[in-house]
Amino acid sequence: MKKIMYSSTNGHPDLLDFKEALLTGQAPDKGLYVPEDIPQLSRETMARFPEMTYPEIAFEVVRLYLGDLVPKNDLKAILEDAYDFDVPVERVYDEKYLMRLDRGATCSFKDFAARLMGRLMQYFLRQEGEDMIILTATSGDTGSAVAQAFYGLENIEMVVLFPEKEVTGRQRKQMTTLGKNVHILAVDGKFDDCQAMVKQAFVDPGLDRLNLSSANSINVGRLIPQTVYYFYAWSRVGMEDLVISVPCGNFGNLMGGLIARRMGLAVRRFVVATNENDEFPQFMATGSYKPIAPSRKCISNAMNVGHPSNLARLFWYYGGKMDELGSVHKMPDLEAMKKDLFAVSVSDEETRKTISEAYNRYDTLLEPHGAVGWAGLMRYIDEVEDWKPCVSLETADPAKFPEEIVKAVGLEPPVPPSISRLEKKEEQFDKIGKGYSTLKENLKKLFG
Ligand SMILES: *Cc1c(COP(=O)(O)O)cnc(C)c1O
């Protein structure tokens, strides 16, 4: 099998294999790792997907990126262990489907990436006899998914930063009730502050000996697992060319879809749905990119991102170049982007209305993120005739956002066991101010 190498979107000359890129996280020039070649899935392999389980499909997709780094049987065991939950693809009406990516340990789609990434990191670290500290910033769902995925691993310590006032009680509890190797810091600031603090830690030579790595959507180990469910969706709705709507924050989810498409998946168009943080839809409309700082506080809080880190990958995908600060060094092929992507921004008001309409008309319960995707899809269908069949991604369980659900439909969403177990558990976390120096102090306090 051809060995895929990974390079930095900022142009650093070093090429890394998957193991090195996974354990490094962010490239030394602050770029994001991307595969040098995108492998192809053969039609014959894909034709077998409808009869295959999720972990079996994942095996066919993921192995292409690992080459010989993980022997077949080890990879199969890792995937069976990581993906031990359902992935429902529900018909809502006509040929409109909803794929629920919310049945994992923390009830968000981030479980797909975090669980596999955690297991692969564990696998490689054990091989090397190394220890590592995972440092990550979350706007709500990443931190909990990653903390759960890494909880209890012996060669990994985990530090999660979250914006104190921007996550729900349930999102917080999924992180703060773990303990052991999981350390949680509540930052008096916004998600972008948290992300900036983490990014600075990675380039601080004073912390080199801590062996820090990221688990954000910047890690290539998050990207590859997120290509799999696009193939899965296609295999479950009759193997036809799809329109897929993706609710977007840091654009990692969308990148998974785009890579799946280049691997051979038939996707006619992606609906790229953001909340009121509309820097990307604006870019598509005007050709000029302006990050939004500070990010706007919307009810789909995991998507409150004013400068999505994966835009660097999106620009790379379309032949452009954007650095980590959002400066455009080379314009991507905007015409090709417009052909592939239909970008929309959905207001909080429209999000709430969508939750209530989907429930009242179609008996389908959505939460704010999935509702942004669904609203985007409805707008696409209004404007473009060729939409059948289409799949919208539901990225979290409504039970994670009970206040909004009660407001929109007057009903308490049913609480899955993974969440109800947390209600009585004790929380542990430290509160810190924003700014890099407070993070550095805390890391020194934790790890000496
Ligand atoms: C993280 C997240 C998103 C956004 O995904 P990106 O990959 O950052 O675009 C959407 N919905 C939920 C529930 C999330 O947790």
Side-chain angles (χ1 to χ4, degrees):
M1 204 187 311
K2 181 168 180 181
K3 187 167 188 178
I4 306 279
M5 300 302 283
Y6 299 81
S7 60
S8 166
T9 50
N10 280 353
H12 195 280
D14 287 355
L15 296 181
L16 277 61
D17 69 13
F18 182 83
K19 174 177 169 177
E20 293 161 338
L22 174 76
L23 296 179
T24 307
Q26 192 175 25
D29 60 2
K30 301 194 192 178
L32 276 58
Y33 286 114
V34 288
E36 279 277 291
D37 300 291
I38 296 187
Q40 297 299 302
L41 260 178
S42 69
R43 296 214 163 263
E44 299 78 68
T45 304
M46 286 201 310
R48 291 188 286 117
F49 283 1
E51 282 78 50
M52 290 163 72
T53 64
Y54 192 92
E56 286 167 351
I57 293 176
F59 175 76
E60 296 298 337
V61 177
V62 174
R63 64 196 281 261
L64 300 175
Y65 289 93
L66 298 185
D68 300 327
L69 292 169
V70 183
K72 264 188 184 183
N73 286 337
D74 289 352
L75 181 60
K76 280 185 181 165
I78 287 172
L79 291 165
E80 291 287 345
D81 182 51
Y83 300 123
D84 59 352
F85 51 91
D86 283 346
V87 188
V89 181
E90 298 170 1
R91 192 176 152 272
V92 180
Y93 66 101
D94 295 345
E95 285 182 63
K96 305 183 183 81
Y97 296 85
L98 188 71
M99 178 158 65
R100 291 200 180 267
L101 302 174
D102 58 2
R103 301 294 156 97
T106 66
C107 306
S108 111
F109 92 98
K110 298 210 167 65
D111 290 325
F112 284 85
R115 286 173 71 83
L116 180 53
M117 182 175 72
R119 280 154 181 77
L120 287 173
M121 277 187 165
Q122 161 88 333
Y123 186 88
F124 292 134
L125 284 170
R126 234 187 240 154
Q127 224 172 37
E128 298 294 309
E130 261 184 47
D131 290 327
M132 183 166 270
I133 297 169
I134 306 288
L135 177 62
T136 193
T138 184
S139 56
D141 282 346
T142 309
S144 51
V146 174
Q148 292 268 355
F150 286 76
Y151 171 67
L153 301 185
E154 279 181 3
N155 43 354
I156 296 180
E157 295 283 333
M158 180 77 245
V159 180
V160 184
L161 277 68
F162 73 89
E164 194 183 350
K165 298 186 186 71
E166 290 186 9
V167 310
T168 68
R170 281 182 178 155
Q171 284 178 324
R172 197 185 62 235
K173 279 191 183 147
Q174 287 180 322
M175 303 183 266
T176 57
T177 55
L178 289 167
K180 277 198 196 171
N181 59 331
V182 176
H183 312 278
I184 307 295
L185 302 174
V187 176
D188 184 13
K190 291 182 172 282
F191 170 66
D192 296 326
D193 297 316
C194 300
Q195 206 170 32
M197 289 159 79
V198 164
K199 281 186 175 169
Q200 205 167 337
F202 286 124
V203 295
D204 182 350
L207 296 180
D208 273 355
R209 72 203 153 72
L210 291 185
N211 199 14
L212 293 176
S213 186
S214 76
N216 265 0
S217 46
I218 56 179
N219 193 303
V220 75
R222 293 266 308 273
L223 186 64
I224 305 302
Q226 289 177 178
T227 58
V228 176
Y229 42 76
Y230 290 92
F231 290 100
Y232 185 81
W234 170 86
S235 77
R236 284 348 190 226
V237 302
M239 304 201 291
E240 287 183 68
D241 290 16
L242 292 177
V243 169
I244 301 183
S245 182
V246 188
C248 290
N250 263 315
F251 284 63
N253 197 356
L254 178 71
M255 277 318 301
L258 282 168
I259 287 179
R261 185 170 190 246
R262 209 167 268 179
M263 291 175 75
L265 184 69
V267 180
R268 283 204 305 275
R269 200 97 183 264
F270 287 97
V271 178
V272 179
T274 69
N275 61 23
E276 293 169 29
N277 291 283
D278 63 348
E279 61 282 348
F280 184 70
Q282 288 295 339
F283 168 75
M284 289 282 279
T286 64
S288 103
Y289 179 70
K290 291 192 196 70
I292 294 177
S295 54
R296 297 175 184 140
K297 197 172 165 181
C298 297
I299 57 172
S300 46
N301 66 18
M303 309 195 321
N304 291 343
V305 185
H307 169 48
S309 46
N310 273 290
L311 286 190
R313 287 196 174 111
L314 188 64
F315 273 49
W316 156 81
Y317 188 93
Y318 286 103
K321 187 170 170 190
M322 174 189 275
D323 69 19
E324 68 286 354
L325 299 173
S327 299
V328 179
H329 298 269
K330 185 175 169 219
M331 271 298 278
D333 183 343
L334 203 54
E335 285 316 304
M337 281 172 115
K338 284 184 180 164
K339 232 165 82 192
D340 295 351
L341 312 174
F342 180 85
V344 287
S345 160
V346 177
S347 69
D348 272 358
E349 191 191 340
E350 192 178 348
T351 306
R352 291 196 174 101
K353 205 171 114 218
T354 303
I355 297 175
S356 120
E357 279 183 9
Y359 185 69
N360 293 325
R361 288 197 197 154
Y362 309 113
D363 211 18
T364 294
L365 193 57
L366 297 169
E367 52 67 59
H369 307 79
V372 168
W374 190 258
L377 182 61
M378 294 303 115
R379 272 206 243 161
Y380 181 76
I381 287 171
D382 277 347
E383 282 185 31
V384 182
E385 261 165 41
D386 179 28
W387 56 265
K388 289 178 187 174
C390 57
V391 181
S392 194
L393 306 186
E394 172 59 293
T395 49
D397 190 305
K400 293 185 96 167
F401 308 92
E403 297 86 359
E404 286 302 330
I405 305 300
V406 170
K407 255 193 247 168
V409 304
L411 153 137
E412 279 280 344
V415 180
S418 54
I419 290 181
S420 59
R421 262 192 290 120
L422 303 176
E423 300 293 332
K424 286 184 274 332
K425 285 200 183 166
E426 205 179 309
E427 293 189 71
Q428 278 176 33
F429 61 97
D430 292 318
K431 295 187 186 193
I432 68 169
K434 65 179 170 188
Y436 177 58
S437 58
T438 57
L439 173 61
K440 190 167 181 174
E441 270 164 38
N442 275 270
L443 289 175
K444 285 197 168 149
K445 208 161 66 190
L446 281 167
F447 307 112

